[in-house]
Amino acid sequence: MLTRKAVRWHTKNLFPHPVTEILLGLMVLATWYSLQDARKMGLYEFEVIVETVFLPVYGILVASHVFKGQRVTLFELTLFNGPKQVFIGRLVSATAGLIIGIFSIALITYVQGYSSLMAPVLLKLPTYLAMIMVLMVWLDSLGGVISFYILTSAVPMALFVILTKPYPPSPAVSLLAYFLSPIEATVGAGKLPVSVSTGYTVTLFLSATMILLSYMVFKTRDFEPQ
Amino acid sequence: MIVEAENLGVNYGRTWGIRGLTFKAKTDRLALIGHNGSGKTTLLSVFSGIRHPTTGRAVINGWEPYKRKDKWIAIRYSFEKPQFQIPVKVRDLVEVLKANPRCPWVDDLVEALEITQFLDRRIDSLSSGQSQLCNLLVALSCDSEVVILDEPTAHLDSYRAGIVDELISKRTGVIIATHDVEEGEAVADYFLILKEGRLVWSGTRKELFSNDIYEVTLIETGGQLPFKTLYRFGATLIVKAEGNELVDMLSKGIIAGFKRAGLRYAYAKSS
């Protein structure tokens, strides 16, 4: 009962939310037209627009509902009898918010005939969730948003540059690419020393581990209410 | 409730929030008194279990709060400066509390704190006083073993502050931090005075009010009294006098009132 209340508490005002809806509309349009252009120009435009611009900003709007200061977190921990309900509430809230945007993009890739892009787009869900939950444990709203943007936009941009070079990146960088920019890694998989299936498996495992660890830390961490 | 500290210390990098605190208090309501930055909130954060001490240990009724797995149920905590960026209505907060089987006094508290007046306001649009009332509602409406309140009336008007103090004085297992000596004296039966993170005085109500030192309020702000004035705070004087002499001055209209000097004197003396 209390867990359900915690989920409702955290999903309140997530949707409908005018800014999120406008961004979702723009993201859908940008995805649609970039995939139409892809027949002539390749997938580069789609990769840049979706992976480094729209999905990160959309992720920030969703994540801002769970990045909270220590005082709010303490208040919620007291209100919901401890970390389990608060963590589940935030995880479900972030999942619900991300699913709408990510599934929309995945659906468009399928409709436009690029079904091979569905998997890396859907892979954004566990990776974004993992990053959101880890950042949520330590950082407040501003710190969380900035860090999330760096991890989901700035780092993938840097990886774009690395992956366009003629020589192959190291296995570690390849795995990082699968985790942080799976669309780019999948499109350029032929150049990577790590296969798509291995990359996806490691990404899923890493995401699940990060979410689990973030819960363990959230459960035991100290707070400074001042 | 038995509250103990053994060489308790908490540091923030090179700065110690509290240091070397040792005491044992058997009490229903413990008040921590001290000025801003004296270590009250740090000590509260250890007793509420949200922070581990750097040195020593803190114990309530035989258990260390930060080690307790059910600390969020056993201890309810209301902290200072409540400004919550939470986009839900106060009504939703009340509904959540009502769904919590450990919070049986929600309706009574909503009524007593007059929260009914702003039930349909969003929490992130409340004034600091209204946020404080919501904060207190969460802490006081549940049947926890210990309630920890950091400056519970700091943002409240005197009317609501009086209601809150009355509610607190009826509870047991309360640890309250305040820099308001009147509030401390109104609710607590054991006192700790902190300065610069160290304990400078501790004692019961009896020990606090056990001497011939009085706190006197003058009618004229610049007035003098024929007694030895120990400390002066505007029109309030701490004097050493006999009670019958002060009754005489009261009847002559020289002083507005007097009472045994309590926390104000203990606090000033320990400076």
Side-chain angles (χ1 to χ4, degrees):
Chain A
M1 181 66 169
L2 210 52
T3 306
R4 211 166 63 213
K5 288 277 181 192
V7 170
R8 278 203 61 179
W9 174 274
H10 284 97
T11 49
K12 278 241 165 176
N13 282 19
L14 184 64
F15 278 104
H17 191 286
V19 178
T20 315
E21 283 166 3
I22 290 168
L23 185 77
L24 182 62
L26 287 173
M27 186 165 71
V28 165
L29 284 173
T31 305
W32 183 269
Y33 287 111
S34 64
L35 282 175
Q36 281 198 335
D37 290 349
R39 296 182 215 294
K40 289 176 274 178
M41 300 160 58
L43 284 164
Y44 186 74
E45 185 182 314
F46 167 79
E47 291 169 42
V48 172
I49 285 176
V50 172
E51 188 143 61
T52 66
V53 181
F54 279 106
L55 273 178
V57 176
Y58 182 81
I60 284 170
L61 288 178
V62 172
S64 63
H65 285 260
V66 298
F67 291 153
K68 294 176 179 177
Q70 291 201 20
R71 283 191 195 145
V72 174
T73 299
L74 275 172
F75 181 74
E76 290 179 349
L77 288 167
T78 305
L79 182 61
F80 293 108
N81 288 354
K84 185 179 158 195
Q85 284 80 2
V86 175
F87 191 87
I88 291 172
R90 292 183 180 184
L91 183 65
V92 172
S93 162
T95 307
L98 289 173
I99 272 179
I100 297 169
I102 290 172
F103 275 34
S104 303
I105 304 296
L107 187 67
I108 293 170
T109 59
Y110 178 76
V111 170
Q112 290 270 24
Y114 291 96
S115 52
S116 63
L117 292 174
M118 279 183 77
V121 170
L122 290 173
L123 213 54
K124 287 283 181 186
L125 182 63
T127 58
Y128 273 23
L129 274 178
M131 285 184 270
I132 287 171
M133 298 318 283
V134 167
L135 295 173
M136 176 276 287
V137 173
W138 280 285
L139 300 174
D140 63 3
S141 190
L142 184 63
V145 162
I146 291 170
S147 303
F148 184 78
Y149 185 72
I150 289 169
L151 286 170
T152 57
S153 181
V155 177
M157 272 189 229
L159 287 167
F160 269 41
V161 176
I162 292 169
L163 297 184
T164 51
K165 298 290 176 194
Y167 42 83
S170 69
V173 171
S174 303
L175 288 173
L176 191 69
Y178 276 111
F179 183 77
L180 292 174
S181 49
I183 299 172
E184 166 66 7
T186 304
V187 172
K191 285 186 277 181
L192 302 180
V194 177
S195 69
V196 171
S197 59
T198 307
Y200 287 1
T201 307
V202 171
T203 296
L204 283 172
F205 177 76
L206 187 61
S207 302
T209 307
M210 284 170 69
I211 292 171
L212 200 65
L213 282 176
S214 63
Y215 176 61
M216 304 302 283
V217 175
F218 189 61
K219 226 168 55 162
T220 53
R221 64 158 295 191
D222 281 357
F223 290 92
E224 289 172 31
Q226 286 173 322
Chain B
M1 164 176 79
I2 298 174
V3 186
E4 295 171 78
E6 293 169 15
N7 190 33
L8 190 64
V10 173
N11 69 4
Y12 302 95
R14 290 180 180 179
T15 311
W16 287 85
I18 51 174
R19 193 168 195 179
L21 298 192
T22 299
F23 62 86
K24 183 172 184 176
K26 189 177 179 194
T27 172
D28 284 333
R29 288 171 299 280
L30 172 71
L32 312 179
I33 315 294
H35 55 67
N36 297 331
S38 60
K40 302 188 298 292
T41 301
T42 302
L43 184 55
L44 285 189
S45 66
V46 175
F47 277 119
S48 59
I50 62 172
R51 188 178 182 93
H52 285 72
T54 312
T55 62
R57 64 188 205 123
V59 181
I60 303 175
N61 296 334
W63 40 266
E64 291 178 65
Y66 37 85
K67 288 185 179 172
R68 196 164 165 164
K69 284 190 176 166
D70 64 345
K71 65 186 175 193
W72 298 105
I73 295 167
I75 308 162
R76 298 282 166 177
Y77 181 45
S78 160
F79 50 88
E80 203 195 351
K81 300 175 212 155
Q83 281 296 336
F84 305 122
Q85 293 304 312
I86 305 172
V88 300
K89 288 182 177 174
V90 177
R91 189 179 294 281
D92 299 317
L93 170 70
V94 173
E95 289 304 315
V96 170
L97 283 169
K98 280 184 177 178
N100 190 337
R102 294 181 179 273
C103 303
W105 305 305
V106 181
D107 286 330
D108 295 344
L109 262 291
V110 167
E111 198 70 34
L113 298 173
E114 299 179 355
I115 288 173
T116 43
Q117 292 173 8
F118 51 91
L119 273 176
D120 288 315
R121 294 268 305 274
R122 271 174 47 150
I123 292 175
D124 55 4
S125 73
L126 297 178
S127 69
S128 55
Q130 290 167 329
S131 294
Q132 180 70 311
L133 291 173
C134 290
N135 203 10
L136 288 167
L137 173 69
V138 174
L140 293 172
S141 62
C142 305
D143 60 351
S144 55
E145 287 176 49
V146 179
V147 181
I148 292 184
L149 307 168
D150 193 356
E151 308 284 1
T153 60
H155 300 272
L156 303 182
D157 56 73
S158 57
Y159 170 68
R160 281 207 171 101
I163 294 172
V164 170
D165 284 344
E166 174 64 9
L167 287 167
I168 296 169
S169 65
K170 288 177 180 165
R171 288 285 294 256
T172 57
V174 176
I175 302 176
I176 175 178
T178 180
H179 50 242
D180 181 347
V181 292
E182 274 78 24
E183 177 168 63
E185 289 176 2
V187 302
D189 49 26
Y190 198 96
F191 306 90
L192 304 174
I193 298 179
L194 297 177
K195 276 194 182 153
E196 316 302 338
R198 293 189 180 272
L199 183 63
V200 292
W201 190 89
S202 65
T204 61
R205 288 186 80 85
K206 206 172 172 185
E207 288 163 331
L208 192 69
F209 297 117
S210 66
N211 47 42
D212 288 333
I213 310 294
Y214 289 90
E215 193 176 311
V216 180
T217 305
L218 299 172
I219 296 271
E220 301 287 338
T221 51
Q224 295 291 332
L225 290 177
F227 312 119
K228 186 183 178 190
T229 301
L230 302 173
Y231 300 99
R232 183 166 192 140
F233 307 96
T236 302
L237 273 58
I238 307 288
V239 299
K240 187 167 176 59
E242 294 294 326
N244 53 0
E245 292 173 314
L246 290 168
V247 171
D248 187 41
M249 304 206 81
L250 184 69
S251 63
K252 287 178 182 168
I254 297 170
I255 62 174
F258 69 94
K259 69 177 193 67
R260 279 190 191 276
L263 279 173
R264 201 185 296 275
Y265 173 57
Y267 190 75
K269 197 171 70 166
S270 61
S271 292

